[in-house]
Amino acid sequence: SVLRFPLSPPQRPLHASVVLRRTSDERQKEPGAASSQFDSGPGPLPEQESRGPHPSYTGQGGQESEDFESEEQLQHRILTAALEFVPEHGWTAEAIAEGAKTLGLSSAAAGMFHSDGSELILHFVSQCNTKLSEMLEQEQKLVQLGEAEKKPMDQFLRDAVEARLRMLIPYIEKWPQALSILLLPHNIPSSLNLLTSMIDDIWHYAGDQSTDFNWYTRRAVLTGVYNTTELVMLQDSSPDFEDTWRFLENRVADVMNMGSTANQVQSTGEALVQGLMGAAVTIKNLAGMNQRR
Amino acid sequence: PGVGGSPRFCSGRVELEGMNRPVIDRIIRVDHAGEYGANRIYAGQMAVLGRSSVGPVIQQMWNQEKEHLKKFNELMVAYRVRPTVLLPLWNVAGFVLGAGSALLGKKGAMACTVAVEESISNHYNTQIRTLMEEDPEKYKELLQVIKKFRDDELEHHDIGLKHDAEEAPVYSVLKKAIQLGCKGAIFLSERI
C-alpha cells in the first residue's frame, strides 16, 4: 500500500520520526491537508520501517540532533500527550493528531498509528498499570519501614482495584468505546496480557504466596471482580461512584468466602483419598502383602 | 518484621531486572512440578511399603524431596513464576505411579525410583548447562540450588540401585516407560 505521509519520495527511506522532527524544526506549514489522510487505512507500523538499529539523526547540515530518542519513546510521548484530548475526541486519530501538535510535531504523526486508536488505548492501559504497580510498591515500602499498617487482605484488594478503576474516571465517557476496541481480535493478546499482569501484580503485593492451583483460582476470581466492577462503573451515576465501590466491597467479600469453599473442596478430596487408601490397605491385607518383612 | 507482617514477603525478593524471564520461568515451573511429582511418588510408595523393610529408606528420600519442594515454593514466589496448571494431574499421577510401582514389590518401587531420579538428574544437568551458557554469575543462586538438588537426586538413584532395583520384574521395560512419562511431564510442565 502507498505510504500516506506528506513526503516527497526521496525522503521515504528515512524513519517517519526523523521526517516529523525535521518538519517540527521547520514548523512552517500547518498541514491542514494532512488531516484528510488519517482515514486512508493504517499506515505501516514504524517497526516495519526500521532500517537497522538506531538511526543517526544527522540532519542535512550534518549536525546531530541533541534530543536523540528512539522511535518507541517518541511514540509514547505522542500518545501520552494525546490522552488530554481523548475526552473531547475519543480514542481516535484526531486525539493523537492533537497530541502530536502540542509537542510541536506535525499532526501527520497520527499516521504512525492504527486508525482505530488501538495503540492509544493500550498505551493508556499500560500506563495505568505501571502507575498502579508503583503505588503498590510504595505502599509496600511504607509497611516494611513500619510507617504504615499492613492492610487486611480484603481491604487491600478493594483499595487496589478501586485505585486502578479511579484512573478511568477522567475518560469514563469514552471508556465503553475503548473496551470494545480492546476486544477486537487483533488487540486481544495485548489487552489480555495487560489485564493478567495487572491482576498478578495486585495479588503479588497482596502477599499471595500460593504455588498450587490456588494461584490460578485467585487470579481468575479477581479478574472477574475487576471486570464486573468496571462494567458497573460505566453505568454508575452516583456521586463519586459510591455504588461502584459498594459493589466492589461485596464482590471482594465473596472472594474471601470463596477461600473457605476451596478448603471445603480440598477436604472432600482428602476424604476421598483416605477412602481409597483404606480400600488399598484392605486389598493388600487380603493379598497377604501387609506383613512385616 | 512489622506487625503481622510475613517476613518472607519482604526478604524473598529477587532482582528480576536483567534476567532472561522466559528461561527462568520455565526452569522454575518445571522444577517445581518435578519436585511436587516426586513428593507424590514417594507418598504413594510409602502408602504401600511404609511398614516394610525399605520403609525407612523411602521415608528418608521422601523427606529430602519435601525439602526440595519447599525450596522451590520459595523460589517460585521470589521469581514470581506461575505454577503449572497440571499440578492436580501430577498430584494423582505421581501417587498412582508410586503406589503402582510399590505394588510390584520393593524392587519395583526401587526401579521406579531409579528411573525417575535418572530422568530428573539428566534434566537438572541440562538446566545447569543452559544457565551456565546464559550467565553463571547472574544465576549463581539458582545454579547452586539446582546443582545441590541434582546431587541429591543422583544419591537417590544410587540408593535405588543398591536396593536391587535392577532385579525388579520387567525392569528395563518399566524403566523405559517411566522415563518416557517423565519426558512428557517435563515437556508439558514447561509450557503449561
Side-chain angles (χ1 to χ4, degrees):
Chain A
S1 67
V2 183
L3 286 177
R4 304 285 186 174
F5 296 108
L7 309 172
S8 53
Q11 291 174 329
R12 202 184 294 166
L14 294 176
H15 268 260
S17 51
V18 177
V19 176
L20 293 167
R21 197 152 274 286
R22 296 202 307 163
T23 315
S24 79
D25 289 341
E26 291 156 13
R27 227 176 268 232
Q28 288 155 4
K29 46 179 173 127
E30 209 43 46
S35 346
S36 62
Q37 298 180 351
F38 299 140
D39 310 297
S40 40
L45 294 173
E47 291 84 79
Q48 295 160 6
E49 285 188 287
S50 258
R51 308 258 183 266
H54 297 292
S56 109
Y57 284 179
T58 45
Q60 281 173 338
Q63 305 133 331
E64 257 179 21
S65 171
E66 308 272 0
D67 39 344
F68 170 86
E69 68 178 347
S70 72
E71 191 77 36
E72 211 182 309
Q73 285 173 324
L74 175 66
Q75 287 186 326
H76 282 313
R77 280 208 304 136
I78 295 177
L79 291 176
T80 307
L83 289 177
E84 190 188 326
F85 301 95
V86 164
E88 190 188 331
H89 294 285
W91 306 91
T92 57
E94 275 85 32
I96 301 178
E98 293 296 320
K101 280 200 279 197
T102 63
L103 294 179
L105 300 171
S106 154
S107 59
M112 269 203 284
F113 306 99
H114 262 105
S115 59
D116 62 357
S118 296
E119 283 106 331
L120 182 55
I121 303 172
L122 290 170
H123 173 83
F124 172 67
V125 171
S126 172
Q127 230 181 22
C128 289
N129 290 354
T130 308
K131 258 194 281 184
L132 180 68
S133 296
E134 283 166 6
M135 253 184 59
L136 296 175
E137 177 77 38
Q138 274 303 94
E139 216 177 284
Q140 187 186 72
K141 280 208 171 74
L142 289 179
V143 171
Q144 282 174 10
L145 293 174
E147 288 173 27
E149 283 297 308
K150 185 158 149 62
K151 294 184 196 172
M153 177 80 81
D154 60 341
Q155 196 191 337
F156 183 94
L157 295 176
R158 244 189 297 141
D159 291 348
V161 173
E162 184 180 328
R164 177 60 180 79
L165 286 174
R166 278 190 181 274
M167 299 182 197
L168 299 177
I169 294 182
Y171 310 91
I172 195 89
E173 300 285 310
K174 307 286 184 188
W175 194 243
Q177 178 198 4
L179 280 182
S180 57
I181 291 176
L182 284 178
L183 288 174
L184 291 174
H186 68 88
N187 283 331
I188 291 204
S190 316
S191 62
L192 205 51
N193 205 354
L194 286 168
L195 178 63
T196 50
S197 42
M198 188 250 302
I199 297 288
D200 180 51
D201 256 357
I202 296 182
W203 271 118
H204 169 76
Y205 286 106
D208 176 41
Q209 298 199 328
S210 39
T211 52
D212 54 4
F213 205 75
N214 272 324
W215 192 94
Y216 289 92
T217 321
R218 287 183 174 187
R219 277 150 187 77
V221 168
L222 188 59
T223 308
V225 170
Y226 179 85
N227 283 339
T228 47
T229 312
E230 189 180 25
L231 291 176
V232 165
M233 191 177 170
L234 291 179
Q235 294 161 9
D236 188 3
S237 49
S238 62
D240 195 38
F241 299 94
E242 51 189 36
D243 286 349
T244 304
W245 312 133
R246 202 168 315 129
F247 176 84
L248 175 60
E249 194 177 332
N250 290 333
R251 295 290 76 71
V252 170
D254 288 344
V255 173
M256 298 295 120
N257 287 338
M258 181 218 70
S260 63
T261 317
N263 284 340
Q264 285 164 5
V265 169
Q266 195 184 347
S267 27
T268 310
E270 275 169 352
L272 256 176
V273 167
Q274 285 194 323
L276 287 171
M277 292 277 289
V281 169
T282 310
I283 294 174
K284 269 174 48 197
N285 284 338
L286 290 174
M289 281 171 65
N290 214 6
Q291 298 151 3
R292 262 189 206 291
R293 311 254 175 106
Chain B
V3 176
S6 153
R8 198 184 303 150
F9 178 26
C10 337
S11 63
R13 285 295 213 89
V14 158
E15 189 46 69
L16 297 176
E17 296 301 317
M19 295 220 154
N20 188 342
R21 288 313 308 278
V23 165
I24 297 295
D25 224 50
R26 272 193 176 188
I27 286 180
I28 295 184
R29 177 163 50 253
V30 73
D31 289 351
H32 174 263
E35 296 299 346
Y36 182 81
N39 252 279
R40 298 301 294 155
I41 291 176
Y42 283 122
Q45 290 188 341
M46 279 304 285
V48 176
L49 292 171
R51 288 185 298 132
S52 71
S53 58
V54 290
V57 177
I58 301 179
Q59 179 68 51
Q60 209 226 353
M61 294 196 284
W62 188 13
N63 290 340
Q64 274 187 311
E65 299 296 353
K66 285 185 189 161
E67 286 300 312
H68 289 189
L69 182 60
K70 201 162 102 160
K71 185 65 182 166
F72 272 113
N73 280 336
E74 288 169 18
L75 288 178
M76 192 163 248
V77 174
Y79 285 83
R80 294 187 63 175
V81 173
R82 73 172 171 87
T84 164
V85 230
L86 301 171
L87 279 181
L89 178 60
W90 303 145
N91 187 349
V92 174
F95 193 87
V96 166
L97 175 61
S101 64
L103 284 173
L104 291 175
K106 286 185 269 188
K107 298 181 183 160
M110 289 300 150
C112 171
T113 300
V114 166
V116 171
E117 300 295 6
E118 192 178 302
S119 287
I120 290 192
S121 316
N122 288 336
H123 165 70
Y124 277 154
N125 275 331
T126 312
Q127 290 187 338
I128 291 171
R129 268 192 290 273
T130 307
L131 287 176
M132 295 288 272
E133 276 165 10
E134 284 268 332
D135 188 340
E137 268 315 299
K138 210 193 298 175
Y139 303 117
K140 196 156 69 153
E141 192 217 344
L142 195 52
L143 271 170
Q144 257 174 332
V145 170
I146 297 181
K147 280 183 187 163
K148 162 110 191 2
F149 288 6
R150 183 223 29 213
D151 294 340
D152 289 344
E153 308 295 2
L154 279 174
E155 204 186 302
H156 294 178
H157 171 264
D158 294 340
I159 291 176
L161 283 178
K162 207 169 75 178
H163 282 84
D164 308 323
E166 282 160 329
E167 294 173 28
V170 289
Y171 171 71
S172 56
V173 174
L174 189 62
K175 184 169 171 220
K176 284 219 173 64
I178 292 177
Q179 294 195 321
L180 195 60
C182 285
K183 276 210 181 73
I186 289 174
F187 179 84
L188 288 174
S189 302
E190 275 180 342
R191 286 155 186 80
I192 17 182

